[in-house]
Amino acid sequence: MRCPNCQQWNRATLPRCFRCGTELPTNVPVQPSWRASLKDDRAGKSYIRVDEDGLVDVSPDDREVLAAEMAELKARKDDGTRRLRRMRAEAAMRYPGQPYETASADTAADYAEDSYAEPAAQMEAAPEPEPESEPAPEPMAETRVHSARVSFTGFPQAEDPAPEPVPARPPRNPRGTRVIQNPGEWQDSRSYDPIVDDMRESNVFKQPPNLHELPQTPSRRSRQRRLIRMLTVLLVVAALGLCGAIGLAAWSRWNEARSDQNRALVTASMVDDLAAHTILIPGEEGQLIYIHELHGTYEVIGGFATIVIPDYTWYEDLATVTEETMSVTLTPYVKNASSGKNRLDPITYDITIPLSPVELVTPGSLRTEVTTAMYSLVFKVRQGSRVSINGVDMSDAVDENGQLTYNATVQPKGDNVYQVSVRSPYCRDNSMEVVLFREVQEIPLDLAATTYTSTSLSRYQVTCSTLPGADVDILSPHTDLNITNLSTTGEFSFYAVFDKIGDNTISIQATYPGKKPSRVDYVIYYLPNQDDYTRKAWSLTRAADYSELMGNISFRAENTQIYVAMGEFSDFVTDSPQMAVMYCSEDGKSQPVLLENRTKTTWKKGTYYRIYADVKGVYNGMPWLVARYTYLD
């Protein structure tokens, strides 16, 4: 606030004037009067909006605020222009004939445009002086103008001498403004305002601000340059970051490659057609690597110690293996003559434990409906496997080809379930469930438990039993039916006649008044012995015999005509059962036939065979024969 005695400006918190000591008034309003002129203190227009639900929203309109600010900006700009003109006129009236500068039209327009932002800069441009005929008051202060800018160096003292004559007006600079040649030639005179004199005496303006150092409003071009510099810096930083990331990735790959050189290599391999893993441990030539788990030592040859380990090594001694995979860890040591054993990094890898192979040959599905008390289940397993059916060990019944035949007793109670468990060498346990369904019989009808499933006789005696007093009918070819004891014990017998080579079905039906009939179908595989079978064979080597077979193949299939085929197999169609193509001509390039293996020999490609087979039909345009006997020539 201003002191009422000496007119000195003081801070509002001071109790007395720091110059004259006069007590300052205390009833000064807390908020200055100029605060009322700020736009933040003026309440703006608000709009009340009510939606269809009755909710009220009171908020100012941004467009209204923007319009008010634009109007205020234009008013301030116009007010600055008027102030600048008035200051120029007052300067011309106070200092007539003084060497002040007049800015060019472009410079004056620039200052008028920026007057609202920097009021101090509004004094930098001075208008052309008025005619010198007008009276001018005594100069108040020395004025220096440079490039349309005004600066004050100080106020004259009362005891200063009278000013010297004014020198000639200096020439204009290239921009069209006049520059003072010798500012020190000007002298101050006593001001007409005592307040200004007091301020001069108190050295208020001893160090006036340098108007050239005031912040200037950045132009659009400078803002664009600054934006370009910022973008350039960002691009450089991004490029450096990308180069750093690429370098870091390259270093990481190099480090991994370097570490891989000292790391053991583990690859999958095979040993005797079984899964295994080959481990390469790097080391110096001639070093000895000891594996603790294997209790073995391996020498480094060619930069690596090579170790081949079958996978079954890790689970062969386990009683039961159910997991599909297993994690294996090896602990290698380097043997040194001086320091003994130095432990290397452990080697860990995973192995896969295969299931024990098992295949159901007969019947063709896991659930089958049968009508006989005896049914042969045929399985295919790996030779040497442990097989159990319903908890009974059947391993001894596995033949040299891995085939197991189990004669199951089927009760007329519906589902008969057979649990099959297989444990093959170097495999984990596998299981299978086979269901034979036999309908519940009101009239019991069964074949004797001693009935065979295969025979080499063309006439085979079959013994059966049923309900005493029931009537029986043999629906398949037969002779010599004996029903002597049928009414008393229910037993009867007959001879089954096999009219074709291969599977023959025996069908028996029993009836009784007031009960549902019962029927039994039983399949017997009929194959004459090799002497009788091979004696009836026809040759397929000659082209005439092959053409006759192709022309009468339906008739030959009905009578199961036997042929002999000699040669090597050119291609295998299926593996189970084995079906292969053989060219039966003398040169082995024509007369193809398809042979289905029902012999006890497993065929191999590249081996010369002599095979006896009977006609079954046609497959893909060539004769289809079922092989019964195989010989190696």
Side-chain angles (χ1 to χ4, degrees):
M1 66 180 66
R2 178 175 288 183
C3 178
N5 181 25
C6 62
Q7 301 299 320
Q8 172 67 35
W9 285 98
N10 296 273
R11 297 172 66 177
T13 58
L14 297 177
R16 295 179 179 275
C17 177
F18 75 91
R19 180 181 180 188
C20 64
T22 305
E23 184 176 358
L24 299 176
T26 58
N27 55 353
V28 180
V30 177
Q31 183 175 3
S33 59
W34 52 267
R35 290 282 297 183
S37 61
L38 296 179
K39 63 180 181 180
D40 293 341
D41 294 340
R42 298 193 298 267
K45 294 183 179 180
S46 298
Y47 291 84
I48 301 176
R49 298 176 177 85
V50 182
D51 58 7
E52 58 184 1
D53 297 330
L55 298 178
V56 179
D57 181 21
V58 180
S59 61
D61 192 349
D62 294 339
R63 296 175 296 177
E64 187 71 24
V65 174
L66 180 60
E69 291 179 354
M70 294 177 64
E72 182 181 2
L73 178 61
K74 186 176 183 304
R76 291 175 59 190
K77 182 176 180 180
D78 296 341
D79 183 63
T81 303
R82 289 193 298 271
R83 287 173 180 265
L84 180 60
R85 292 175 182 172
R86 185 173 66 252
M87 293 173 63
R88 290 173 179 171
E90 291 177 358
M93 293 176 61
R94 288 186 180 182
Y95 310 105
Q98 299 293 333
Y100 61 88
E101 300 284 338
T102 303
S104 62
D106 296 338
T107 306
D110 293 339
Y111 285 131
E113 181 178 356
D114 297 338
S115 60
Y116 69 93
E118 297 184 14
Q122 298 174 3
M123 302 174 59
E124 295 180 2
E128 292 293 339
E130 299 294 336
E132 298 180 358
S133 58
E134 297 181 6
E138 183 180 358
M140 177 179 176
E142 179 183 345
T143 307
R144 293 186 299 172
V145 182
H146 178 70
S147 298
R149 300 178 186 272
V150 180
S151 63
F152 299 91
T153 60
F155 289 91
Q157 302 293 332
E159 61 274 16
D160 291 342
E164 297 180 0
V166 178
R169 183 171 297 178
R172 294 178 178 273
N173 63 4
R175 292 183 59 188
T177 60
R178 295 183 181 88
V179 182
I180 297 175
Q181 299 292 339
N182 189 6
E185 298 177 355
W186 298 92
Q187 296 182 1
D188 298 339
S189 62
R190 189 66 179 177
S191 175
Y192 65 89
D193 193 346
I195 298 176
V196 177
D197 294 341
D198 295 337
M199 296 176 66
R200 173 183 55 76
E201 294 176 0
S202 62
N203 296 328
V204 175
F205 295 100
K206 185 175 182 179
Q207 297 294 335
N210 188 358
L211 298 181
H212 291 282
E213 297 178 357
L214 294 176
Q216 303 294 329
T217 303
S219 62
R220 179 178 299 176
R221 183 172 296 177
S222 64
R223 289 194 297 268
Q224 292 178 351
R225 290 197 209 99
R226 187 158 53 250
L227 180 60
I228 292 174
R229 285 197 297 269
M230 293 177 61
L231 292 178
T232 304
V233 172
L234 291 177
L235 289 176
V236 171
V237 172
L240 292 176
L242 180 60
C243 293
I246 294 175
L248 181 61
W251 178 84
S252 178
R253 288 195 297 271
W254 175 81
N255 192 23
E256 290 179 359
R258 184 177 180 183
S259 61
D260 288 342
Q261 295 178 357
N262 300 324
R263 188 182 303 169
L265 302 178
V266 180
T267 57
S269 59
M270 299 291 292
V271 175
D272 297 333
D273 296 332
L274 296 175
H277 280 80
T278 300
I279 303 172
L280 301 178
I281 303 177
E284 298 179 0
E285 196 71 17
Q287 278 186 338
L288 297 178
I289 306 297
Y290 174 76
I291 305 298
H292 174 71
E293 288 74 12
L294 301 178
H295 304 288
T297 302
Y298 305 87
E299 183 179 0
V300 177
I301 301 175
F304 293 94
T306 304
I307 307 169
V308 180
I309 307 175
D311 290 350
Y312 63 79
T313 304
W314 308 104
Y315 57 85
E316 181 180 12
D317 297 334
L318 299 179
T320 304
V321 180
T322 58
E323 298 295 332
E324 184 177 356
T325 60
M326 177 184 293
S327 181
V328 177
T329 301
L330 297 177
T331 308
Y333 294 86
V334 176
K335 285 187 175 181
N336 294 324
S338 59
S339 59
K341 293 188 298 183
N342 295 330
R343 182 173 180 178
L344 301 178
D345 294 336
I347 303 171
T348 302
Y349 63 96
D350 295 334
I351 62 173
T352 301
I353 306 175
L355 275 173
S356 299
V358 57
E359 178 186 358
L360 178 62
V361 179
T362 303
S365 61
L366 295 178
R367 180 180 176 84
T368 305
E369 183 176 354
V370 299
T371 58
T372 181
M374 299 293 296
Y375 193 88
S376 297
L377 299 176
V378 181
F379 301 94
K380 185 75 173 180
V381 298
R382 183 178 295 175
Q383 190 174 3
S385 299
R386 292 203 314 264
V387 184
S388 63
I389 301 177
N390 288 342
V392 179
D393 190 3
M394 301 294 298
S395 303
D396 295 339
V398 180
D399 60 14
E400 58 183 7
N401 295 323
Q403 183 168 304
L404 169 65
T405 301
Y406 176 73
N407 295 321
T409 302
V410 185
Q411 300 293 336
K413 60 178 182 179
D415 289 343
N416 292 260
V417 181
Y418 303 90
Q419 295 287 346
V420 182
S421 178
V422 180
R423 173 70 183 274
S424 300
Y426 316 130
C427 298
R428 56 192 169 104
D429 296 348
N430 196 1
S431 60
M432 177 184 295
E433 183 178 276
V434 181
V435 178
L436 299 179
F437 176 81
R438 184 182 180 189
E439 187 178 4
V440 178
Q441 296 179 346
E442 295 184 5
I443 303 175
L445 178 61
D446 291 317
L447 276 70
T450 58
T451 305
Y452 294 156
T453 58
S454 63
T455 182
S456 60
L457 303 175
S458 59
R459 296 176 67 254
Y460 180 74
Q461 186 177 11
V462 178
T463 303
C464 305
S465 63
T466 184
L467 183 67
D471 295 332
V472 295
D473 294 324
I474 311 302
L475 305 179
S476 57
H478 67 284
T479 60
D480 302 333
L481 176 61
N482 185 2
I483 56 174
T484 304
N485 299 323
L486 180 62
S487 59
T488 56
T489 61
E491 295 181 354
F492 62 98
S493 63
F494 62 94
Y495 282 89
V497 177
F498 304 130
D499 55 356
K500 64 178 181 178
I501 300 174
D503 293 333
N504 291 262
T505 302
I506 300 174
S507 297
I508 307 170
Q509 183 174 353
T511 58
Y512 194 87
K515 294 182 180 295
K516 183 178 180 180
S518 297
R519 177 171 174 167
V520 171
D521 295 324
Y522 191 75
V523 177
I524 296 179
Y525 180 75
Y526 165 62
L527 177 62
N529 57 48
Q530 55 186 359
D531 291 337
D532 294 338
Y533 188 86
T534 57
R535 192 181 302 116
K536 300 177 182 179
W538 292 2
S539 175
L540 283 174
T541 304
R542 295 183 303 174
D545 295 336
Y546 184 83
S547 299
E548 193 277 335
L549 172 61
M550 291 296 298
N552 303 281
I553 195 165
S554 298
F555 178 77
R556 299 304 179 194
E558 291 178 1
N559 293 274
T560 59
Q561 180 60 49
I562 303 171
Y563 288 87
V564 56
M566 295 182 292
E568 296 181 0
F569 291 108
S570 61
D571 187 24
F572 282 86
V573 179
T574 61
D575 293 333
S576 180
Q578 278 189 313
M579 299 179 68
V581 177
M582 176 184 289
Y583 291 93
C584 300
S585 61
E586 293 182 355
D587 57 0
K589 297 181 180 179
S590 59
Q591 302 175 203
V593 294
L594 178 68
L595 296 173
E596 179 181 344
N597 191 2
R598 294 294 298 271
T599 68
K600 297 180 180 180
T601 304
T602 301
W603 296 335
K604 296 181 181 180
K605 194 173 183 179
T607 304
Y608 190 89
Y609 294 104
R610 179 163 49 93
I611 300 174
Y612 292 88
D614 49 80
V615 181
K616 183 177 182 179
V618 180
Y619 177 87
N620 200 18
M622 54 186 166
W624 183 0
L625 283 70
V626 179
R628 310 295 180 178
Y629 294 100
T630 299
Y631 297 93
L632 294 174
D633 288 343

